[in-house]
Amino acid sequence: MSLIEDLQWRYATKKMNGQIVPQEKVDYILEAARLAPTSSGLQPFEILVITNKEILEKILPLAHGQRQVVDASHVLVFAAWDNYTEERINEAFARNNEERGLPSSATDDYRNMLLKMYLAKPAEENFTHAAKQVYIGFTAAIIAAAEQKVDATPMEGFNPAALDELLNLKEKGLRSVLLLPIGYREAEKDWLVNMKKIRVSKDRFITELK
Amino acid sequence: MSLIEDLQWRYATKKMNGQIVPQEKVDYILEAARLAPTSSGLQPFEILVITNKEILEKILPLAHGQRQVVDASHVLVFAAWDNYTEERINEAFARNNEERGLPSSATDDYRNMLLKMYLAKPAEENFTHAAKQVYIGFTAAIIAAAEQKVDATPMEGFNPAALDELLNLKEKGLRSVLLLPIGYREAEKDWLVNMKKIRVSKDRFITELK
């Protein structure tokens, strides 16, 4: 199936059946998120992969009782850097230059430009920028799941501060941004599964300037 | 090729050769963005597809002289709603219910919840939320391009206020968020094309809570 067919196949699954997603498919979905592009290649986020039932039961009320959190096979928590720091930026560039066999100074001009830009901004603004990068990895994961015929439910609706506390994210310098339960649909109990997918018309969505 | 292979194939093309992308591939890339999921299905953004050389020459200095803007085949401008309004939210729900053959009141509870939530927030906060949705469609477009073996250069680095003015976006209630020049690489003049793709290690990127 092509990407377009995968996008037509997927939907925000409302009811999952508890079936376990094979590890190689989970790995594939995570790999898509890892390979996704990000601003300056900094990859300012991490993913927590949660299968621990006790933790998931505690997440359930923080996600407004959305039962996919406990009916899914795995719940992916996408958490962004709480700030861009000198240490994080330097580490990313050091890694890149080392792996490319370049001197550590090869990217100094660009690195210094980024340091100057990010370190001058408030943490909240930098976090917002990092959170936007999360959406890129998140989308890659959603598409990877669809390609693998794994269902997924993209979720913005949860209490991020409470989740950060539950998962001790603050001490890791992270803040939760998005949840992605993955698993398999329980079609006969899912009110959305047979609904027509609705999108804005091409005419309204696209403007050509020729 | 699989999604993972497409993600490995793609890179932020630094030099394009001016070759034109066939219309069916452009349509495919735009269709991926149109089918991408968004929060509550509101699709709070539009895409401008620019091939007009005069306009592109004017965009060039607003994008810090990044020459992909003029060497690409098409430049996609992703522009988000400047705010969530009652009219926009109501229209999206009316369209969905009509296309699904449901009474217009079928989604009143959910629609009223969204109205209460968004209308209470400042425009800037709502725009930031809409801008995050742009990243989802943007990522789908990047992946669609890679699947079609079309090169693309994801760009955050431009002057959005000046671009909004050039393209009269304010009067459409839109604000530019991201640019995506698409076209074909000029490999022998592209310093990045043969560089190893670097990503953070799986160990650093993923934490399992079993």
Side-chain angles (χ1 to χ4, degrees), chain B residues 95-115:
Chain B
R95 181 182 66 227
N96 286 15
N97 288 325
E98 193 184 323
E99 287 200 46
R100 286 175 172 168
L102 297 173
S104 63
S105 61
T107 47
D108 276 358
D109 287 352
Y110 188 65
R111 183 175 58 80
N112 286 323
M113 183 273 288
L114 287 184
L115 286 172

Side-chain angles (χ1 to χ4, degrees), chain B residues 107-142:
Chain B
T107 47
D108 276 358
D109 287 352
Y110 188 65
R111 183 175 58 80
N112 286 323
M113 183 273 288
L114 287 184
L115 286 172
K116 194 174 165 189
M117 180 177 78
Y118 284 124
L119 301 185
K121 289 181 181 174
E124 189 65 27
E125 191 177 334
N126 283 336
F127 164 69
T128 297
H129 183 267
K132 288 174 179 170
Q133 312 308 309
V134 170
Y135 279 75
I136 301 175
F138 182 70
T139 305
I142 292 168

Side-chain angles (χ1 to χ4, degrees), chain A residues 1-199:
Chain A
M1 279 169 82
S2 70
L3 169 63
I4 295 291
E5 290 168 311
D6 291 334
L7 286 169
Q8 286 163 336
W9 176 84
R10 66 151 298 280
Y11 73 114
T13 304
K14 298 302 177 187
K15 177 67 180 164
M16 298 210 182
N17 67 8
Q19 191 186 330
I20 302 301
V21 177
Q23 187 62 43
E24 65 267 23
K25 287 184 186 269
V26 178
D27 290 345
Y28 187 95
I29 292 163
L30 294 169
E31 184 65 359
R34 195 178 75 94
L35 288 172
T38 53
S39 183
S40 304
L42 293 176
Q43 297 185 276
F45 65 95
E46 296 183 21
I47 300 177
L48 287 86
V49 182
I50 309 183
T51 49
N52 181 295
K53 294 297 173 195
E54 278 179 42
I55 297 174
L56 293 173
E57 286 290 347
K58 287 179 184 164
I59 294 177
L60 180 61
L62 307 183
H64 312 308
Q66 295 176 90
R67 303 231 19 118
Q68 301 94 324
V69 166
V70 289
D71 294 337
S73 166
H74 297 66
V75 174
L76 313 188
V77 177
F78 288 73
W81 290 356
D82 58 0
N83 197 0
Y84 287 102
T85 64
E86 188 165 4
E87 189 187 356
R88 283 168 157 167
I89 292 171
N90 287 346
E91 189 187 325
F93 277 88
R95 180 182 66 228
N96 286 14
N97 288 326
E98 192 184 325
E99 286 200 45
R100 286 174 173 168
L102 298 172
S104 62
S105 60
T107 47
D108 276 357
D109 287 352
Y110 189 66
R111 184 176 57 82
N112 286 324
M113 184 272 288
L114 288 184
L115 286 172
K116 195 174 165 188
M117 179 176 78
Y118 284 124
L119 301 186
K121 290 181 181 175
E124 190 66 27
E125 190 177 335
N126 283 336
F127 164 69
T128 297
H129 183 267
K132 288 173 178 170
Q133 311 309 309
V134 170
Y135 279 75
I136 302 175
F138 183 69
T139 305
I142 292 168
I143 291 174
E147 191 197 44
Q148 298 297 310
K149 298 297 161 285
V150 171
D151 286 304
T153 314
M155 283 188 186
E156 283 181 333
F158 63 97
N159 181 333
L163 186 60
D164 294 353
E165 192 164 320
L166 175 67
L167 300 175
N168 300 312
L169 294 184
K170 192 174 181 181
E171 61 196 51
K172 297 176 79 176
L174 299 172
R175 294 170 62 180
S176 56
V177 175
L178 290 161
L179 300 184
L180 190 69
I182 58 172
Y184 295 100
R185 64 188 71 177
E186 187 167 356
E188 59 280 9
K189 293 186 182 169
D190 190 325
W191 63 267
L192 189 56
V193 66
N194 290 319
M195 289 270 193
K196 182 182 172 190
K197 184 186 288 294
I198 310 294
R199 292 292 186 266

